[in-house]
Amino acid sequence: MPLPASNVPWPPPELAIPHADMDMWRAWYSGSTDHLAAVYGGVANYRNNAIARRFFEVDQRRAAGDELRTFWGQQPTPGQQSAKLHVPIAADIAEMSANLLWADVPQVTVDGDSTDTATAKSTQAQLGRYLDDRGHAKMREAAELTAGLSNSYLRVVWDTSLRPRPWTDVIAPEAVVPTWRWGELAEAVVWRELAPLDDGGKVWRLLEHHTPGAIEYGLYEGGAANLGMRAGSLADHPDTEYLATRTDDQGRQATGINRLLITHVPNVLPNRIWDGIPNMAPLGRSDLSGVEPFMDALDETWTSWMRDLRLGKARILLPQSMLDTDGPGTGGSFNLEKEVTVALNMLDEGGKDSISEVQFSIRVDDHERTTKALRKQILSSAGYSAQSFGDEGTVAVTATEVAARKEESLATRGTKILYQRPAMLDHLTTMMMVDVTHCGAKGVDPAAELTASWPQAVQPDPEATARTLQLLDSAGAISDFIKVKWRSPDLDDEEVAAEVRRIRDDQRADNIPAGDPYNTGGGIDPNVDQEEGAEGPEAGADEGLDKPDEEEGGGSRGLAVA
């Protein structure tokens, strides 16, 4: 969609349902109890998120009176402090997803057939600079946001006054209005709220319309739910003054690149809950989709457990006759350090003047079993193994056993790589184009074909690998090249070949006899006294008479070699 006209609802109403769901997932992901209470209908003061706060009341699928009971939707008891607890398992899931994908940097390589060797090497080096620590951190940030909110966007930005190369900017899904064509991102409007000015509570927004080859900027002054009027100049707000010098009088900027600067990254597909909503099919599915009731029940269970602890505190009941008082109307008190108290002589000896103790039981086992069951179900429904979160202990086991215990997590990781890899390669290709066009990069070929491989999530046991290679070598079923490749999968073919040559050179050096420095196969035995060896020919002749079979072959060996 192009930049919208003035005085239209914003964000667009067609995104109300996806944004409402994203806001719900953001509430679980952020762990804000106020936000959770607002999403599920409770009393809340959550008004800090400039984007999400619009959507607390817009979920059109909810009808009054037909919602299921939720823990976070219950109103607190009047006059009583809220004691609800939140377990941040949603944040743990998103963080685990990002760690599985981006704990290590994937190996991005240039296809040597698509460019010459020198250019391929320089392009390879530049890709490594894009994925340095800052680039690696940005990709991991996007992966965590994608797992929690269903999708995210990567934008290539550049400013040579700040950095010599382009870099990655991560955009939350609520801040983008996408336009799809055949399931691919064709255009996008990126928007954000700007700092308020002293103009009577007006809301300032900056909109960027991204198309292949150009960006059009629009500054709008409106209200909380209305875009308002488009400003005459980008210089009307201090946060956008810098854009006025980079654009024409219509707010347009040519990128010099015939492709979008924005790349969409879905979490996984399909999205089950947005089926049938127009233009929502390409958006991803959150790891939290469908497990919200279980997370709500987990919070209620932990809150009940903590309530048992509060109620389980020991309390004593005193008869009024045991209180010390200074007279009528002065109240009473009891000295807990007083060791002797005289009982009253009363006709009724029912024990009314005795101290009684009240202490409720704490249902530790019941709550612990319930929380473990809920936690396991949440992780399994989200696609992860409990072992990935340390729920099955930390006893040292082999890599094979670890992989078996983390099978669900590794399968989910493999599925997500199917979406992460093409998005990352598209983003890096765009970054190379920007680098060459605007940052003056030399020796970089943006047209080069890129491939990417992720490191193993569970590193194999070196001892088990060594045993396997030894058995295969003994059976003559493996080459030196494959042995080195198996041992060090991160090496490319040239590095493997060089390592094989070094190994063979070392083996030849170890097999050279001590008295044969030139590896001729003969030579003088340094352990034989040379003076005694002077009589060797006669002795050899006599000995040769006794061994005629060796005369022809063995006796001529030294001559032949010489």
Side-chain angles (χ1 to χ4, degrees), residues 339-455:
E339 297 182 356
V340 178
T341 300
V342 179
L344 299 177
N345 291 326
M346 303 179 66
L347 295 177
D348 183 7
E349 297 293 341
K352 294 184 179 180
D353 61 343
S354 63
I355 300 176
S356 58
E357 176 185 359
V358 176
Q359 185 172 15
F360 298 101
S361 61
I362 302 174
R363 299 164 293 170
V364 175
D365 292 339
D366 295 339
H367 284 102
E368 185 176 13
R369 287 196 300 269
T370 304
T371 55
K372 283 185 176 181
L374 286 171
R375 182 178 173 87
K376 184 176 181 180
Q377 182 60 50
I378 290 170
L379 297 179
S380 178
S381 297
Y384 299 93
S385 305
Q387 174 68 21
S388 299
F389 294 80
D391 287 2
E392 300 297 331
T394 57
V395 179
V397 292
T398 65
T400 303
E401 292 174 319
V402 172
R405 292 185 181 183
K406 296 183 178 181
E407 183 178 1
E408 283 185 281
S409 297
L410 298 181
T412 299
R413 176 182 185 263
T415 301
K416 291 190 174 187
I417 288 176
L418 298 178
Y419 301 95
Q420 289 278 324
R421 181 186 287 115
M424 179 190 68
L425 296 181
D426 285 348
H427 178 66
L428 291 177
T429 300
T430 305
M431 192 172 288
M432 287 192 294
M433 292 181 175
V434 171
D435 203 356
V436 171
T437 304
H438 298 284
C439 302
K442 304 297 183 183
V444 177
D445 184 10
E449 294 289 336
L450 305 181
T451 59
S453 60
W454 259 253

Side-chain angles (χ1 to χ4, degrees), residues 519-551:
N519 195 21
T520 62
I524 301 174
D525 188 351
N527 297 321
V528 178
D529 192 309
Q530 299 305 309
E531 293 182 359
E532 297 178 359
E535 301 177 354
E538 298 180 359
D542 295 338
E543 186 177 352
L545 295 176
D546 297 333
K547 298 179 179 180
D549 294 339
E550 297 180 4
E551 184 175 358

